[in-house]
Amino acid sequence: LTAPIASDADPEKSSQFAQSVAGLQATEYLTDSPTADELKAFGLDSPRHTAALTFSDGRTYTLEIGGPRPGKPEVFARLDKGGVFGLPA
């Protein structure tokens, strides 16, 4: 764990988190190249949550979680500053 403070991560909770992230599947792809206005509407101009995962081979992925999708049990999200998609809440 490096943010909000540097600390040893709980191995059990880290494992649970990794399993949860590995099982995520987009419910719908919304836009490949979001505009600044779209990012604001999706709550991704200032994401509610950000998780950066670095693997032993050096690969790093950053998942940003934005606001809720109206009328759906989902949130807006994007990976590595790319396109926007829906994720189950």
Side-chain angles (χ1 to χ4, degrees):
L1 182 64
T2 59
I5 60 169
S7 174
D8 291 338
D10 179 306
E12 183 177 330
K13 291 187 182 200
S14 296
S15 177
Q16 290 171 348
F17 175 74
Q19 288 176 0
S20 295
V21 170
L24 288 176
Q25 290 188 351
T27 57
E28 182 179 357
Y29 290 91
L30 304 166
T31 179
D32 287 332
S33 301
T35 66
D37 287 340
E38 288 173 324
L39 290 174
K40 186 173 183 176
F42 299 148
L44 289 165
D45 60 330
S46 181
R48 292 180 179 201
H49 303 283
T50 301
L53 304 172
T54 302
F55 294 87
S56 58
D57 65 1
R59 292 178 301 148
T60 297
Y61 297 97
T62 302
L63 177 66
E64 296 175 316
I65 305 296
R69 289 191 70 193
K72 298 186 178 203
E74 301 174 3
V75 293
F76 293 105
R78 69 180 178 159
L79 186 63
D80 294 332
K81 304 274 185 200
V84 177
F85 49 90
L87 282 179

